[in-house]
Amino acid sequence: MSKNGMDRIQKELNRARFQQNILAQVSSHPSARSGDIQTLAKFITKSVAEGLGIERVGVWLFNDSKNELLNVDTYLLSKALHSAGAILKEVEFREEFQYLVKEKYVDANDPYTDPRTKGFIETYLKPNGITAMLDGVIRMGEELIGTLCFEHVGKKHKWQDDEIIFCSQLGDQIALTISNQRKNQIYEELIARENELRELNESLEQLVEERTKKLRNSNEELESTISTLKKAQNQLILSEKMASLGQLVAGIAHEINNPIAAIQASAENLKESLFESEYSLFQKELKELLPDHKSQNLFQEVIQVLKSRIEIISGRERMSRRKRIESWLHQRGLPDSFSFHLIDVGFDLDVLESYQELFLKDKVEKILTLLVEEITVYQSLHIMLLAVERASKMTFALKNFVRFEISKNPIKVNVKENIETVLTLYQNQFKKNVILIKEYEDIPFIEGYPEELLHLWTNLIYNSLQAMSFSGTLKIQTKNLEDKVSICVQDSGPGIPESIQTRIFEPFFTTKALGEGSGLGLDICRKIVERHQGSIRFQSIPGNTEFTIELPLQIPK
């Protein structure tokens, strides 16, 4: 490769290291946790401008009506100066605002000809000498928050993929900071509400005491009223706390995604730099050890065979392999202890004999050592990426489950995906003594409220697990019934006693021990189904309880 090519690769590596370093500093910045968006914006704009050599870097946020963009901070590199307060109005840039609504980013390499930025030419681009513009759209869930702007002045610039991704990742950090800001505000409001509720409780207790003195003859009726009132009060407090907890868990899940993404990116970079690049460490050692292409090709074939043999073998099979491999090593004057390394990376006698041509050389020990080292590193990276994938699925399920932006109007819902979110959260229960059977027909999207449906499946599935004492068979079926869909949750528990079957949907009715249930789970299920104008029914005998829910494809007006 030419010197220019090597310089280009080194420049890209340096830029990647800088981007990762900035992301790490931003994610751990105190202002990100406290929700201080002004301080974080100043840190981001200055760090990016100085690190990437961008003349203007700015953070812009929408007002509540989404018809104005307010400049929180812009850093001018050549003047080492922060500015803020500029406003862009939708009425003046209506078409350009629409691109921000529809797209994830606007990468205008030539903003004077790009239709997405043409409205800014006379009032913004020319006065500031801007020759290239990158707008990373900032969103929180489905809500449009604002944009992070990279603006080059002077020499033209073509935005690279890594710069676009970096801009989007910084936008996610800004969205998280705003989420934390809102969470802190809600938490303060919650404290105030709790204080009000405490005062109300004190007044209520005093009123109950006075009423008790006056109505001693109707004591039984009064005690029943008090009991119902306290349960409702506890449910109200629980709802408030769950709302706060939901925001907290969503924020934590979002924050966990940052180190997960960093681990994945680092693992992928290691994988490329160690294995995939022709200038990788292992490729360099291979070429020095085996200069001829035929031997190099044989070496790569062995690598591919070993990669496909990542497995856990029994102790007996391991002992059998060791004896055969030790004999092979003796013939070549190599120590017995080397057999353990070979077995760990997938070698057996068949592989060694299939590639005799490669191992007949006088460098056999060095060749085997390089093979063991390369496969060991590959296995470690493979395990790391599998762990990252599993953690990503779990945080995705958590974020879906605790969404606190409750839908005001019904939207299209993927019922299968909705149910799978709940199953992901309870997957540890299924690993023990529960057999999970899923029979999904292809069903269309339905019109509904996804957050409420999540709680519907949660109550039904967890009730089934509790009924079986977390040991038995849980079966979930979906069916297409033309103008509606059917979902059946079936368990192999002891069943619902016939004497109480008529009462299970009553609020506050429960057969569970004190502290284990509020008696509101199935009542909530019934209300959710009724809000969707569907139906819920059950049938139960010992060893088989089925709850069947039917929901219309569209909620009747």
Side-chain angles (χ1 to χ4, degrees):
M1 179 179 286
S2 65
K3 185 177 184 300
N4 289 338
M6 293 295 291
D7 290 343
R8 179 178 58 80
I9 292 175
Q10 185 61 46
K11 184 177 180 181
E12 291 177 354
L13 287 173
N14 290 340
R15 189 169 64 209
R17 292 191 188 100
F18 166 77
Q19 291 172 352
Q20 291 181 359
N21 183 47
I22 288 297
L23 285 171
Q25 291 183 54
V26 170
S27 65
S28 61
H29 202 279
S31 60
R33 297 181 182 274
S34 65
D36 184 357
I37 187 62
Q38 284 77 18
T39 300
L40 187 73
K42 286 187 175 183
F43 176 79
I44 290 175
T45 56
K46 182 178 181 181
S47 300
V48 172
E50 292 178 347
L52 296 183
I54 300 174
E55 174 59 23
R56 298 170 59 88
V57 180
V59 175
W60 299 73
L61 298 180
F62 280 102
N63 63 357
D64 293 338
S65 302
K66 310 302 181 188
N67 58 7
E68 290 183 354
L69 269 174
L70 173 65
N71 180 230
V72 177
D73 183 77
T74 293
Y75 185 78
L76 305 180
L77 181 61
S78 60
K79 297 181 180 180
L81 180 67
H82 289 279
S83 66
I87 296 177
L88 298 178
K89 298 184 177 181
E90 182 186 21
V91 67
E92 299 173 1
F93 307 99
R94 191 174 304 279
E95 186 175 352
E96 288 70 24
F97 270 48
Q98 287 303 310
Y99 284 113
L100 296 179
V101 172
K102 295 184 294 185
E103 300 188 5
K104 293 182 178 179
Y105 57 86
V106 175
D107 54 336
N109 296 317
D110 185 355
Y112 295 89
T113 60
D114 196 313
R116 297 172 296 179
T117 55
K118 64 181 181 180
F120 299 122
I121 292 176
E122 298 299 329
T123 59
Y124 188 76
L125 299 178
K126 284 185 177 180
N128 294 307
I130 297 170
T131 55
M133 175 184 287
L134 172 61
D135 287 344
V137 180
I138 304 170
R139 283 187 171 84
M140 186 164 56
E142 297 298 323
E143 182 184 357
L144 183 63
I145 299 297
T147 178
L148 174 61
C149 297
F150 293 178
E151 299 166 348
H152 270 288
V153 172
K155 185 178 179 181
K156 290 188 175 182
H157 178 80
K158 181 178 181 181
W159 300 106
Q160 303 300 315
D161 289 345
D162 67 290
E163 293 175 305
I164 296 173
I165 293 172
F166 177 56
C167 184
S168 297
Q169 290 174 329
L170 286 175
D172 289 342
Q173 290 296 326
I174 294 172
L176 176 60
T177 301
I178 295 173
S179 174
N180 287 339
Q181 183 184 64
R182 294 179 180 179
K183 179 184 67 178
N184 292 338
Q185 292 171 350
I186 292 173
Y187 179 76
E188 292 173 0
E189 293 175 5
L190 180 60
I191 293 297
R193 292 280 298 278
E194 286 183 346
N195 290 334
E196 292 175 4
L197 187 58
R198 190 177 298 109
E199 293 175 1
L200 179 61
N201 287 343
E202 293 173 358
S203 300
L204 180 61
E205 289 174 0
Q206 182 178 359
L207 178 61
V208 168
E209 184 177 354
E210 293 173 357
R211 290 279 181 89
T212 304
K213 293 177 181 178
K214 296 178 181 179
L215 303 173
R216 291 186 184 277
N217 294 332
S218 55
N219 188 54
E220 183 177 346
E221 179 183 352
L222 183 57
E223 287 180 352
S224 176
T225 302
I226 294 172
S227 176
T228 302
L229 184 59
K230 285 187 175 180
K231 287 180 178 179
Q233 175 185 315
N234 290 337
Q235 187 63 28
L236 176 61
I237 295 173
L238 178 62
S239 298
E240 294 281 354
K241 290 183 177 179
M242 287 302 293
S244 177
L245 179 62
Q247 296 176 47
L248 179 62
V249 173
I252 292 173
H254 192 95
E255 287 198 43
I256 291 174
N257 273 336
N258 292 323
I260 288 176
I263 293 171
Q264 184 175 21
S266 299
E268 294 289 356
N269 288 339
L270 279 173
K271 187 176 179 183
E272 180 178 356
S273 63
L274 290 173
F275 303 109
E276 298 172 3
S277 169
E278 61 179 304
Y279 300 100
S280 69
L281 179 63
F282 285 118
Q283 286 292 327
K284 181 179 179 182
E285 289 189 34
L286 176 60
K287 290 177 181 178
E288 291 176 355
L289 185 61
L290 300 172
D292 61 293
H293 291 294
K294 182 178 179 181
S295 297
Q296 291 176 15
N297 291 336
L298 284 175
F299 186 94
Q300 294 295 348
E301 287 182 24
V302 176
I303 286 293
Q304 294 306 316
V305 170
L306 295 177
K307 283 182 178 180
S308 67
R309 294 167 63 95
I310 296 176
E311 57 185 347
I312 298 175
I313 60 175
S314 66
R316 182 177 298 179
E317 172 64 18
R318 186 179 182 87
M319 184 177 297
S320 175
R321 286 191 189 183
R322 181 168 62 84
K323 290 180 179 179
R324 294 196 296 269
I325 291 176
E326 284 179 354
S327 175
W328 188 88
L329 292 171
H330 275 302
Q331 296 174 13
R332 287 156 181 77
L334 298 176
D336 293 351
S337 58
F338 208 69
S339 63
F340 295 101
H341 300 298
L342 297 179
I343 293 171
D344 286 340
V345 298
F347 271 103
D348 61 15
L349 189 59
D350 292 340
V351 176
L352 294 170
E353 291 181 345
S354 296
Y355 293 91
Q356 288 281 13
E357 184 178 352
L358 177 65
F359 300 125
L360 288 175
K361 300 181 179 295
D362 56 352
K363 301 178 180 179
V364 61
E365 184 173 1
K366 292 183 178 179
I367 293 172
L368 288 173
T369 300
L370 185 59
L371 282 167
V372 169
E373 290 176 349
E374 185 164 346
I375 293 301
T376 299
V377 173
Y378 176 83
Q379 288 175 335
S380 299
L381 288 173
H382 182 70
I383 292 170
M384 188 185 303
L385 290 171
L386 284 177
V388 165
E389 180 182 2
R390 183 175 178 185
S392 296
K393 287 181 179 179
M394 180 59 72
T395 55
F396 177 77
L398 273 175
K399 287 174 70 177
N400 276 349
F401 186 76
V402 298
R403 284 176 60 189
F404 54 87
E405 303 92 352
I406 302 300
S407 303
K408 296 181 180 178
N409 299 308
I411 62 175
K412 292 296 182 182
V413 180
N414 184 333
V415 174
K416 176 183 174 182
E417 184 179 287
N418 204 253
I419 295 173
E420 284 296 320
T421 295
V422 178
L423 293 177
T424 298
L425 293 176
Y426 285 111
Q427 61 181 330
N428 284 335
Q429 304 293 346
F430 305 133
K431 288 180 181 178
K432 299 175 184 177
N433 301 312
V434 176
I435 299 172
L436 175 63
I437 300 173
K438 296 185 285 188
E439 295 182 357
Y440 295 150
E441 283 188 9
D442 288 333
I443 59 175
F445 283 33
I446 70 168
E447 189 177 68
Y449 304 90
E451 301 84 4
E452 295 185 13
L453 291 175
L454 278 172
H455 289 288
L456 171 62
W457 315 131
T458 299
N459 283 338
L460 291 176
I461 291 171
Y462 194 71
N463 277 357
S464 293
L465 292 173
Q466 280 189 315
M468 298 187 297
S469 298
F470 299 90
S471 178
T473 300
L474 177 66
K475 184 177 180 180
I476 300 177
Q477 288 180 310
T478 63
K479 293 181 180 179
N480 186 359
L481 304 178
E482 296 185 0
D483 60 341
K484 57 187 175 182
V485 297
S486 170
I487 301 93
C488 179
V489 178
Q490 178 182 353
D491 68 71
S492 61
I496 302 171
E498 188 174 350
S499 60
I500 65 169
Q501 288 187 7
T502 59
R503 301 190 59 194
I504 66 169
F505 290 112
E506 289 182 14
F508 306 115
F509 176 76
T510 179
T511 59
K512 298 174 184 175
L514 184 64
E516 291 187 9
S518 63
L520 291 170
L522 289 176
D523 176 54
I524 291 172
C525 291
R526 177 180 57 81
K527 289 179 180 176
I528 292 172
V529 172
E530 288 177 351
R531 190 180 184 200
H532 288 78
Q533 298 195 33
S535 64
I536 180 171
R537 64 182 185 274
F538 74 95
Q539 57 183 19
S540 180
I541 59 175
N544 183 50
T545 299
E546 297 180 16
F547 278 85
T548 301
I549 297 90
E550 293 182 357
L551 301 172
L553 299 185
Q554 286 190 323
I555 299 177
K557 303 298 183 183

